[in-house]
Amino acid sequence: MKNALSFLMPSVLLMALISCASVPVDRGTYNPNNAAENDLVTLYIDGCIDVAEMDNEPVSWWIQNGNNYQEQMVRIPKGVHSFLARYHDGTRFTLTSLTVTGQFTTGNSYLLKGVITGPIVVMQIVQYNDGIIGDDVTLDLNKLAGNDPGALSTYIRYVLNPTMDGTDNSVKLENDEYLLIYKPDLVYTLTNKLTGIITEGRHGFSIDFSMTSGKTFLLETDISQMSSEQFLSSDYEQTAQIILVPIACDGASVTYRYEKPESLNGTEVTFSITEID
């Protein structure tokens, strides 16, 4: 995934000091799929932000008035949306456009802004009700890429990412009772060492937008009769016989808490992690 950080150019490269104005310019409504009026939310765009795309479609949300860049506002549908944007504040600007993704819910307004820390700027989308900055609703691409030290991001890095297209390795999870192998194309095998019974099926994973919790789903099925595409389009989150919630992971081992089957709900189980080429 693309990194959400970009180095800023030195101020000496700019010829004039330009400031970000706060009077919003109304861009009207951007609603290509004709969402209902009550499903629209207001997005404010900081005057230092230039938006070139929304959901991979070109837009031109950028106003410069003399030496001022002007804040904008636009009505967009609720849901998850991505923006391709650049940052300018008169003394610094991003070398490349950055992708920022946020989750928008009805009843809230939002602000797309840049957050500067030292030599880097991060695009951020926050709730912005009555002019007050609220919760961050930005998808953390760094965590999603497995580059954060937290347990869930570490789990993505060491358990999920190795089996993805382009890597196509397998990951072996093992303890005294079970051998669970995640394979490419969303295939898994589960061996009960005590009984010798081996089951096979497809596995999926879901994560909440805040990147604070996730679930692994194991659906026992005939993989010759259900492709990975059919699996992903099915209601596997409801039909999976086993649901595991990763609660700890350090790269060498992972601890799950069972959600299903009901008989094991709340039980914790730990596996060692081995990547298989």
Side-chain angles (χ1 to χ4, degrees), residues 35-52:
E37 175 65 25
N38 58 5
D39 284 336
L40 299 178
V41 301
T42 299
L43 171 66
Y44 292 90
I45 303 168
D46 186 87
C48 299
I49 304 297
D50 169 4
V51 180

Side-chain angles (χ1 to χ4, degrees), residues 136-147:
D136 185 351
V137 299
T138 314
L139 177 64
D140 192 327
L141 298 179
N142 193 53
K143 288 183 179 180
L144 192 60
N147 296 325

Side-chain angles (χ1 to χ4, degrees), residues 56-77:
N56 299 313
E57 295 296 328
V59 296
S60 184
W61 296 337
W62 174 242
I63 299 274
Q64 183 179 350
N65 182 12
N67 287 337
N68 293 324
Y69 294 156
Q70 292 185 252
E71 185 180 61
Q72 302 168 88
M73 58 185 290
V74 60
R75 298 266 286 167
I76 63 173

Side-chain angles (χ1 to χ4, degrees), residues 101-158:
T101 302
Q103 185 176 44
F104 300 83
T105 58
T106 53
N108 291 300
S109 296
Y110 297 89
L111 172 66
L112 170 55
K113 65 190 186 80
V115 178
I116 299 171
T117 304
I120 59 175
V121 60
V122 178
M123 295 291 184
Q124 187 181 42
I125 301 171
V126 295
Q127 289 184 359
Y128 193 58
N129 298 319
D130 299 321
I132 299 172
I133 292 178
D135 292 341
D136 185 351
V137 299
T138 314
L139 177 64
D140 192 327
L141 298 179
N142 193 53
K143 288 183 179 180
L144 192 60
N147 296 325
D148 184 86
L152 193 56
S153 188
T154 302
Y155 178 77
I156 291 171
R157 179 179 180 182
Y158 289 102

Side-chain angles (χ1 to χ4, degrees), residues 69-113:
Y69 294 156
Q70 292 185 252
E71 185 180 61
Q72 302 168 88
M73 58 185 290
V74 60
R75 298 266 286 167
I76 63 173
K78 68 177 182 179
V80 176
H81 300 293
S82 293
F83 304 88
L84 188 66
R86 295 183 299 160
Y87 181 90
H88 310 245
D89 70 5
T91 59
R92 296 155 295 192
F93 58 88
T94 49
L95 290 169
T96 60
S97 296
L98 310 176
T99 298
V100 56
T101 302
Q103 185 176 44
F104 300 83
T105 58
T106 53
N108 291 300
S109 296
Y110 297 89
L111 172 66
L112 170 55
K113 65 190 186 80

